[in-house]
Every structure is written in C-alpha cells, then in structure tokens.
Amino acid sequence: MNRWVKTFLVTTFAFLSVSGAFAKSLSIQIIQNNPGQDKVWATSYLFEQNITDYFFDAGDIVSSSPIWISDTDEKNRGALKSSLAENRDGGMEVLVRVELFYNTSDSSNPEAFMLDNIKNVKWKAYAVSTGQTLFEGSAAPEKASAKTNNESGLSQFAGLVAYKINTQMKYR
C-alpha cells in the first residue's frame, strides 16, 4: 500500500477514534404539559425532532424516549423512573426531559404549529446511572409575529432550547 494511503487511513482512524471519545450519549424526552389533553400534539413531536436532530448533527449519540403527557406528580415521577431505567439498559449517560407548557386558552387553533401556543419550556437533565439532577433551565418564546407564528418559528425556538441545553452540558 502506498505510504500516503497508509498515512491517510491512520490519520482518519485516529480522528474518528478521538472524536467518538468526546461524543455524549443522551436521551431526550418531551413532556407535554397541556391540561385537559390526552393526545400528543404535533407541536410536541416537532420539538422532539428538532432537539434530537440538533444533538445528532453535533455528533452526539442521541435517542428519544416516548413523549409523556403530564398528569399528576406521582405519575410524572413514575415516568421519570421508567425512563431512567430504560436509558440505563440502553447505555445512555444523560436523560434530558424537556417540558412544554402550552397556553391555548385564547388560541384560534390550539393544535396548529403556532409559536403563540407555547407559554414556556423547562428542562431538567439527569445522570442516568444515579438519577441525580445535573442541571436545569427554562426559556420562553418571544412574542410571535406573523412571520414567526408558524412551524418555522417553532423550529427556531426548539433549536434555541437545544442550544441552551447543549451549552449547559458542556460545562457540567
């Protein structure tokens, strides 16, 4: 084999090995906090997809747990324990639960992709091995305009949430 080809292969292998050593493994779980609703809304799926894509595109190992519809505190704690056990079995390091708080009482179309339907978002990250809280945070969307009160505006806001989560993960 040519010396240059060998050098290229060794360098490529070394780069891939080192970059894999710094990849995080995390699971994202969306919690839909929308009183009175018993089905998962498309907006919750959109948030899950955007946040998962953000971390995947950053080179992390990422999975998602089923979206949870917030109910009683007792059921929410049970869902957390179940997600931690599931992710422990799957070999994940971090579980990030992202809770979407909906405010659809005055909405013209509560089920539509409208940024105005999201009141705020809170997240909490857990070490899967211990269940201990690593960090938490929150964000609220800016007042939506005609240009941002749509799927694109929701995607941008989900990207901002993912960016903030990623920033906190870097400093843990």
Side-chain angles (χ1 to χ4, degrees), residues 6-39:
K6 284 182 184 177
T7 303
F8 174 76
L9 290 175
V10 168
T11 304
T12 302
F13 179 73
F15 174 75
L16 292 174
S17 296
V18 170
S19 65
F22 294 107
K24 300 178 288 286
S25 66
L26 68 146
S27 180
I28 305 296
Q29 182 176 40
I30 300 296
I31 300 161
Q32 179 176 294
N33 190 319
N34 193 5
Q37 293 301 316
D38 59 354
K39 69 176 184 171

Side-chain angles (χ1 to χ4, degrees), residues 1 3 8-9 14 19 21 24 26 30 41-42 50 53 55 64 85 116 128 135 149 153 155 166 168:
M1 200 182 301
R3 182 173 82 109
F8 174 76
L9 290 175
S19 65
K24 300 178 288 286
L26 68 146
I30 300 296
W41 282 5
N50 278 276
D53 287 351
F55 285 100
S64 60
D116 276 343
V128 171
F135 61 85
N149 200 22
S155 292
N166 189 42
Q168 287 180 294

